Amino acid sequence: MSISFDQKMWVAGEWLEAEETIEVFDPGTNECIAVVPSATAEDMNRALSSAEQGAKVAEKLSVHDRMDILHKVADDLEKNKEEFATIIATEGSKTINEARGEAARTAETIRISAEEARRLNGETISFDQSPGNKNRFGYYFRFPVGVVAAITPFNDPLNLVAHKIGPAIAAGNAVILKPAAYTPLSALRLTKSFIDAGLPKHVLNTVTGRGREIGNPLVESPSVRMVSFTGGLSTGEAIAKKAGLKKLAMELGSNSPVLVFDDANVEAAAEACVSGAFAAAGQNCLGVQRIYVQSKSHDEFKKIVIQKTSELKTGNKMEESTDVGPLITEKEAERVEDWIQEAVEHGAQIVAGGKRRGTFLEPTVLVNVPPHATIAQEEVFGPVVLLDTFQTYDEAIKKANNVNFGLQAGIFTSDVNLAVQATRDLHVGGVMVNDSTDFRVDAMPFGGVKGSGIGREGVRASIEEMSEPRVVCFNIDQP
Ligand code: NAP
């Protein structure tokens, strides 16, 4: 299946070109697979005017119409799942198996959005609970925020786009989507699904371009009432400063910890951690980065992790037997290699992997990494996992929390009391008991604390964030 080379962006109800273009590369082969328009600030202003019109149309779409459009998009995703998977795997880092998983989940995200649209409810309010309000009654209902700016990263180029457009439309908003410049093709294909499903013009604008050029006009615009961003911490912080007084949803990164206690099933924990660390070549916001194993189990756990890591096959994304694809660019692969090197210079040892060939980096396991090393503090966003040990529960929790991120944590134990205590003590948005951090279903509230973000995604949570309560109070004469 080949990808059409010349692509256009969807602005103001038309497929448009721009004077400048952006080349889209397959990071596995370094081949240019398509060119997309590189929008200017002027193009973005056109999208903003269009979205203002679109917001008026979207809020008037009946819930039935919203559901109908979203169900049709989900149908298209299911019918053409192989096409979507091929686009994901070609423009991004994922293997074809991983891409198939993402395409299937995207259909689910859109289907859940359709279903949640019917639950956009309010509730009655007993105004007469305060003295002097005997004649008052009323309720609140939820109304759309208006125009949502949706800015998405490269690593889940389809499902994370769906996580913004689906709930935004379910809640009755217009959307301006700015997909990652490395991976705009999945987003453009999904845009086509929405048009084919009958989404009225102006409700969705998909503007391809570079964040550093069209980001500011988008997030600073007073027409935009909410910025829903998924990406890196530094970009998120820059956007938050520029956006001013608007709703913000910030889905940022992490360097997620897993705690393995002596009473756990060590084999199952090791297997889950290897899968959680190296899925999508480690370019996964909830990927496992730091593993802490209680002292008695440490050696056995380490042996299994090394064994399972060395069995992973890195290479051609399109082969079904491949486990690990490339990093998104060679520059990114070099950065991860530099971080490994820095840790080694400070005393760490590589016990599996470590070699790089272009954009491909072997899945790598490090031990004895000093806590101040960059790779122990920051988000590596590559196929590297750190293995460390602990003696006591308090030490484990302290190590897990001792970073500026808090998206998800995993804990392996057969002691339910300890597990419950850990769910209270870990400073994160989600705790997975007897699973690695790499677990998510698209309906659950998902997001982090500290440098991992603000707010929650996950369809229902997003619909709440993308709508506001409006209170209605009737003051009527009663006999
Ligand atoms: P990124 O570099 O922060 O880029 C994300 C998006 O922001 C891209 O569309 C980018 O556009 C745009 N952007 C860049 N500068 C901008 C600006 N000044 N104004 C507005 N938009 C701007 O992130 P990435 O490398 O694509 O993605 C990896 C990061 O995403 C990791 O940190 C990962 O953990 C995080 N992530 C978080 C979640 C979550 O749900 N918590 C999920 C997935 C990924 P260009 O592509 O044109 O630069």
Side-chain angles (χ1 to χ4, degrees), residues 152-155 178 181 211 229-232 235 252-253 285 379 381 446:
T152 52
F154 73 83
N155 63 314
K178 206 308 269 171
F229 171 76
T230 302
T235 318
L252 311 178
C285 61
E379 177 186 41
F381 222 57
F446 178 74

Side-chain angles (χ1 to χ4, degrees), residues 22 151-156 160 178-183 209-216 218-219 229-236 238-239 242 250-254 283-286 328 332 379 381 405 407 440 446-448 452 457:
I22 295 173
I151 304 174
T152 52
F154 73 83
N155 63 314
D156 289 309
L160 292 179
K178 206 308 269 171
Y182 291 131
T183 55
R210 303 211 180 268
R212 60 176 183 269
E213 286 160 18
I214 55 171
N216 284 355
L218 175 61
V219 304
F229 171 76
T230 302
L233 172 59
S234 57
T235 318
I239 289 174
K242 291 278 175 191
M250 290 279 154
E251 300 293 329
L252 311 178
S254 194
Q283 297 158 109
N284 176 7
C285 61
L286 40 71
I328 191 70
E332 269 297 282
E379 177 186 41
F381 222 57
F405 293 103
L407 191 55
R440 176 181 185 186
F446 178 74
S452 293
E457 208 155 76

Side-chain angles (χ1 to χ4, degrees), residues 5 35 40 55-58 72 87 103 106 148 170 179 195 224 229-230 297 321 329 341 363 400 411:
F5 195 76
V35 293
T40 58
K56 293 186 189 122
V57 177
K72 282 186 179 142
I87 297 172
T106 307
V148 175
I195 299 163
V224 170
F229 171 76
T230 302
S297 306
S321 57
T329 59
Q341 204 46 47
I411 166 172

Side-chain angles (χ1 to χ4, degrees), residues 149-447:
I151 304 174
T152 52
F154 73 83
N155 63 314
D156 289 309
L158 187 65
N159 196 27
L160 292 179
V161 169
H163 263 289
K164 302 203 185 297
I165 307 183
I169 286 173
N173 295 293
V175 188
I176 299 179
L177 169 69
K178 206 308 269 171
Y182 291 131
T183 55
L185 306 179
S186 306
L188 290 171
R189 177 62 185 83
L190 188 64
T191 300
K192 181 177 176 305
S193 301
F194 274 96
I195 299 163
D196 293 347
L199 186 73
K201 276 188 183 178
H202 306 294
V203 175
L204 173 63
N205 282 267
T206 300
V207 188
T208 55
R210 303 211 180 268
R212 60 176 183 269
E213 286 160 18
I214 55 171
N216 284 355
L218 175 61
V219 304
E220 287 174 347
S221 167
S223 307
V224 170
R225 297 313 318 146
M226 176 176 180
V227 179
S228 176
F229 171 76
T230 302
L233 172 59
S234 57
T235 318
E237 279 178 334
I239 289 174
K241 283 191 191 128
K242 291 278 175 191
L245 198 61
K246 298 185 169 75
K247 286 192 108 175
L248 289 179
M250 290 279 154
E251 300 293 329
L252 311 178
S254 194
N255 50 15
S256 300
V258 173
L259 310 180
V260 182
F261 285 82
D262 279 336
D263 59 6
N265 177 336
V266 173
E267 169 110 32
E271 192 165 330
C273 284
V274 169
S275 157
F278 302 124
Q283 297 158 109
N284 176 7
C285 61
L286 40 71
V288 178
Q289 184 170 333
R290 299 174 293 131
I291 309 174
Y292 302 102
V293 187
Q294 205 161 15
S295 47
K296 275 196 219 140
S297 306
H298 179 264
D299 290 354
E300 187 196 348
F301 183 92
K302 181 173 146 189
K303 202 171 125 212
I304 304 171
V305 162
I306 292 171
Q307 173 67 29
K308 290 197 181 296
T309 302
S310 58
E311 284 166 12
L312 295 173
K313 186 179 155 200
T314 304
N316 185 342
K317 289 176 289 176
M318 292 304 171
E319 280 175 17
E320 290 186 345
S321 57
T322 299
D323 300 298
V324 182
L327 278 90
I328 191 70
T329 59
E330 186 155 2
K331 200 167 155 222
E332 269 297 282
E334 284 168 358
R335 175 193 57 77
V336 178
E337 191 182 33
D338 288 348
W339 285 19
I340 295 172
Q341 204 46 47
E342 185 221 68
V344 168
E345 278 160 22
H346 288 90
Q349 283 108 43
I350 300 172
V351 292
K355 294 201 184 65
R356 184 179 69 82
R357 182 178 44 84
T359 47
F360 292 90
L361 181 63
E362 285 175 357
T364 302
V365 182
L366 294 178
V367 295
N368 295 327
V369 179
H372 60 266
T374 307
I375 211 160
Q377 289 297 323
E378 304 299 330
E379 177 186 41
V380 64
F381 222 57
V384 186
V385 74
L386 281 51
L387 196 51
D388 191 1
T389 187
F390 67 88
Q391 305 278 342
T392 63
Y393 172 86
D394 286 348
E395 187 190 352
I397 297 290
K398 194 167 165 204
K399 283 185 168 177
N401 285 341
N402 193 23
V403 290
N404 180 34
F405 293 103
L407 191 55
Q408 297 212 126
I411 166 172
F412 286 86
T413 177
S414 53
D415 179 345
V416 70
N417 294 325
L418 185 146
V420 170
Q421 190 57 41
T423 63
R424 294 181 180 144
D425 293 337
L426 288 162
H427 301 157
V428 289
V431 180
M432 302 299 128
V433 180
N434 292 329
D435 258 318
S436 92
T437 53
D438 185 25
F439 177 78
R440 176 181 185 186
V441 296
D442 295 293
M444 76 190 211
F446 178 74

